[in-house]
């Protein structure tokens, strides 16, 4: 498949150094195109996009109707504005508001969402709009994928994590009692609207969690971007030009990986840096958000991936230290023992890792690294090595 | 997309006259290839394939494990033979047996099937095997599509309907209270094994129901095949060379349509001949199999489509009569009043038709015909015309 991601901005070299063109585009909207042939789509990044959502929807899906799916927290903050935007653009719609939180990504809520879409008599050319974080995006996207074997899908991500990660790439799904994201579909949106002003109402903890995913792109293969983050972390957190720039770069990084490997046969697996450990931790705390949210799991997971790589003689201890230090400054956990509550069991973690879908014929697959910006897929990791490593990491 | 279906037999012209090469291949296995680029797969048609299922599975998915999904009726007849076949080919597997019947195509059973596949720790390269009729094929195929966003899928269809229709083409899904097949995915199998000897245990009623789908291919665009069926119907029902030949031709006909339009954007819609009315009837009787099974709904639907076409001045009354006569000889219903139980309501039928997914922006889409073998897609059918027609068809 011939496909690539490109940023529609001045100086859109394949991998621009973010700092270079930040200055020129402070207030300007950014557009990142995810190039997937007939399924290509735009990610628009900027302030005030929520109020333009109706226009943007109608411009792409002329005459189409919509079902908005959101959660209670987001609805109370932003649903009215979206409704006004849709109405003034003449888009007929109905809205479904679900409880907030990870437990909403369930079969029961999938069925409820599917029913709402069917009740609205959406046809294949009509659109499901996800207004919310990754939970709503994953759930609504999956429902959109399976109703009538595929309706159109639009993402309006409202968390930092959703803007830089879950809304880009077409992975949708739900959790089951046996694990996270074990059920789902690949279903690309036709449009992503990342209104960065919506992040102002996010709790510091949720913002930090999303930031873990931003850091991830630097750690995978953009050492310059990681340096940019080290330098501008304060500004990014307080919300300035650097925040917008970081989000755009992160989207572009994800879009590039997705375009190269839409269905996760190869290079896309790099996006799982920190996620094999991270998912196992989330599972071990039964997805209790009081103890751990996704991005926090990823932060610990990335720190673990670097330390595990050090232990295997792949990565320098200095790089692993730098990664942990940066995550810590951002208010993120970096050790298993940072998780509040009862101590986690090694065997439960190993078990969760083995059940994770990134297992290939019994051997364990991990994303390991040779240093900052040098992550790679290791398909043949010895279970015993993981066990010994976890023994060291877990409090005795 | 460059794709086509071809039959791997001597004299495999695009549309062979079945009678011409039946004689030469009485006992021989037939192979129809569904050509879909990287997703191409074989349909094997013959006697005794069930006992070779393990070999055929292992030949295509070396080292893969399997989860067999079946229903209680089929399990009692054939599961042991499949288990022996898998075991002797060294295929590790587990089996899930669900209740028989259309109500099994539900969210609840989907969740149960997904859980069984996850419990068996199937990986993406492993296979879900559907052993049963269209209900099991649709449900297991959908579960296979969504577990880990796609596992491998093998069909062993055990009803005539499943062998000539539901197992070919990759449409999978479930029903909801709002209608039939409203939720699902396109998910192609890697192999279809149609063991025609399994049809010997099918009730005459189920055999006739499947036969309606066989007739459909003649009515769509193969008038010669329809003549062949008129001539050999008796032999086909009692099970001879003609039965095998009819099944192979039907598979080939469906494969050709699917290859030309995998995701039902255009010509594939012709396969819905008889189905818009048929689904509405099934819904109107609440999918009560005592009153109507799928193929019977299709038989009535095809007779209605022809009579409706006569009423619209498109088709000769003689052709419509010939179609109804043939279906009747096969023991199939051809009128709404043939359905036992309380009289159906016109408005409920219209409502069910409008909710059917083959509605395009509010206008009604029907497959109509200019005569036997000359079906076409009519996207602009006037609702009032349908109402008047149904008034005539319904007992006053
Ligand atoms: N599909 C993918 O590729 C992908 C990638 C990464 C993560 N994910 C999934 O994303 C999910 C996590 O996403 P998330 O962190 O966005 O969680 P989330 O959707 O649960 O949002 C976190 C919390 O923030 C609230 N919230 C959302 N927007 C807000 C706003 N603007 N102001 C105030 N509060 C707001 C929500 O109501 C929720 O309580 C996980 O289920 C994970 O599996 C998917
Ligand atoms: N996916 C598609 O493209 C497609 C196409 C057409 C129909 N369908 C679906 O197929 C379903 C109908 O399929 P069906 O008619 O095969 O129904 P089914 O699967 O319910 O089978 C009918 C009955 O026959 C029994 N049975 C199956 N094989 C038998 C055998 N060899 N001997 C004795 N009994 C046997 C079953 O237990 C069941 O009770 C519907 O749900 C319909 O929507 C799907
Ligand atoms: Zn993540
Ligand atoms: Zn059918």
């Amino acid at each position: 498949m011939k496909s690539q991601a490109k940023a529609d901005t001045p100086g859109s070299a394949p991998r621009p150094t973010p700092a270079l063109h930040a200055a020129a585009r402070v207030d300007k909207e950014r557009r990142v195109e995810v190039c997937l042939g007939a399924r290509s789509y735009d990610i628009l990044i900027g302030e005030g996009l929520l109020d333009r959502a109706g226009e943007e929807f109608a411009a792409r899906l002329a005459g189409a109707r919509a079902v908005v799916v959101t959660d209670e927290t987001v609805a109370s903050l932003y649903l009215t504005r979206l409704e006004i935007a849709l109405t003034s653009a003449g888009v007929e719609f109905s809205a479904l508001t679900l409880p907030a939180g990870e437990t909403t990504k369930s079969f029961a809520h999938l069925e409820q969402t599917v029913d709402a879409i069917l009740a609205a008599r959406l046809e294949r050319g009509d659109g499901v709009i996800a207004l919310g974080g990754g939970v709503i995006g994953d759930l609504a996207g999956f429902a959109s994928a399976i109703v009538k074997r595929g309706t159109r899908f639009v993402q309006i991500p409202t968390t930092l994590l959703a803007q830089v990660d879950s809304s880009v790439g077409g992975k949708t799904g739900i959790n089951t009692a046996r694990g996270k994201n074990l059920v789902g579909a690949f279903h690309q949106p036709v449009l992503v609207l990342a209104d960065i002003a919506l992040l102002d109402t996010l709790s510091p903890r949720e913002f930090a969690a999303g930031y873990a995913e931003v850091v991830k792109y630097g750690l995978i293969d953009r050492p310059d971007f990681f340096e940019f983050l080290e330098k501008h972390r304060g500004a990014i957190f307080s919300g300035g030009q650097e925040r917008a720039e970081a989000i755009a770069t992160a989207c572009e990084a994800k879009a590039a990986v997705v375009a190269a490997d839409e269905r996760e046969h190869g290079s896309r697996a790099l996006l799982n840096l920190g996620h094999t450990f991270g998912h196992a931790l989330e599972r071990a705390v039964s997805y209790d958000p009081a103890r751990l949210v996704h991005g926090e799991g990823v932060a610990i997971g990335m720190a673990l991936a670097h330390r595990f790589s050090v232990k295997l003689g792949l990565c320098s201890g200095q790089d692993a230290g730098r990664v942990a230090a940066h995550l810590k400054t951002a208010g993120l956990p970096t050790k298993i023992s940072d998780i509040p509550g009862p101590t986690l069991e090694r065997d439960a973690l190993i078990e969760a890792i083995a059940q994770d879908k990134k297992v290939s014929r019994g051997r364990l697959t991990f994303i390991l690294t040779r240093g900052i910006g040098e992550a790679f897929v290791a398909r043949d990791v010895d279970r015993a090595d993981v066990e010994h490593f976890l023994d060291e990491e877990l409090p005795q």
Side-chain angles (χ1 to χ4, degrees), chain A residues 70-387:
Chain A
T70 189
D71 74 28
E72 281 160 11
T73 307
V74 176
S76 68
L77 293 163
Y78 302 113
L79 183 55
T80 307
R81 275 172 61 193
L82 178 57
E83 290 179 336
I84 292 169
L86 290 169
T87 304
S88 47
V91 178
E92 241 185 80
F93 70 93
S94 61
L96 172 70
T97 302
L98 298 169
E102 186 72 34
T103 51
T104 295
K105 271 176 63 174
S106 66
F107 256 109
H109 287 103
L110 176 70
E111 189 170 356
Q112 187 185 349
T113 307
V114 159
D115 192 64
I117 297 169
L118 291 173
R121 301 187 168 213
L122 243 59
E123 298 169 16
R124 283 187 184 172
D126 293 323
V128 173
I129 301 178
L131 175 71
V135 164
I136 290 298
D138 282 10
L139 175 75
F142 187 31
S144 167
I146 63 176
V147 167
K148 301 183 182 182
R149 299 193 188 87
T151 59
R152 303 304 188 91
F153 179 45
V154 171
Q155 294 253 31
I156 308 182
T158 65
T159 64
L160 178 53
L161 181 139
Q163 292 191 352
V164 300
D165 188 359
S166 62
S167 70
V168 183
K171 276 168 96 171
T172 69
I174 56 173
N175 306 321
T176 85
R178 294 187 192 275
K180 243 180 96 68
N181 299 317
L182 289 177
V183 177
F186 287 96
H187 188 53
Q188 299 293 343
V190 294
L191 173 67
V192 180
L193 297 175
D195 186 335
I196 63 167
L198 307 188
L199 305 183
D200 291 343
T201 51
L202 215 54
S203 72
R205 188 177 167 206
E206 288 292 351
F207 191 91
Y211 185 72
E213 304 277 5
V214 176
V215 172
K216 186 181 75 175
Y217 301 110
L219 296 179
I220 291 173
D221 62 355
R222 299 188 182 218
D224 293 355
F225 183 50
F226 184 75
E227 271 177 42
F228 170 85
L229 296 174
E230 286 184 310
K231 202 162 155 190
H232 299 289
R233 200 209 48 76
I236 292 167
F237 270 60
S238 55
Q241 311 162 18
E242 287 83 0
R243 180 193 283 187
E245 194 59 37
I247 292 175
T249 302
C251 282
E252 194 202 289
K254 175 138 188 194
V257 177
V258 168
D261 179 21
E262 187 179 4
R263 293 198 155 226
E264 200 171 18
H265 294 302
S267 58
R268 184 161 173 164
L270 286 173
L271 294 174
N272 290 322
L273 176 62
H275 281 65
T276 304
F277 284 123
H279 285 158
L281 293 169
E282 285 184 276
R283 219 189 142 199
V285 301
S286 310
Y287 307 113
D288 177 358
R291 299 184 67 188
L292 197 72
V293 295
H294 178 74
E296 291 169 342
V298 172
I300 300 176
M302 292 191 299
L304 290 175
H306 280 74
R307 285 199 292 274
F308 188 34
S309 299
V310 172
K311 193 176 151 73
L312 296 174
L314 294 163
C315 171
S316 75
Q318 201 187 355
D319 273 11
R322 216 174 122 194
V323 170
H326 183 64
L327 294 168
K328 225 169 156 175
T329 331
L332 286 161
T334 58
K335 300 195 301 279
I336 299 176
S337 58
D338 289 342
I339 302 171
T343 306
L344 302 181
E345 295 282 329
R346 187 198 73 172
D347 290 349
L349 288 175
I350 289 277
E351 182 58 16
I353 287 168
Q355 172 65 14
D356 197 81
K357 66 189 172 309
K358 285 167 285 296
V359 171
S360 164
R361 300 222 176 278
R363 285 182 239 112
L364 299 177
T365 296
F366 275 87
I367 313 305
L368 298 178
T369 188
R370 298 194 176 82
I372 287 165
E374 297 182 62
F376 66 96
V377 182
R379 299 206 185 274
D380 232 335
V381 175
D382 193 340
R383 192 180 160 124
D385 284 344
V386 184
E387 287 172 355

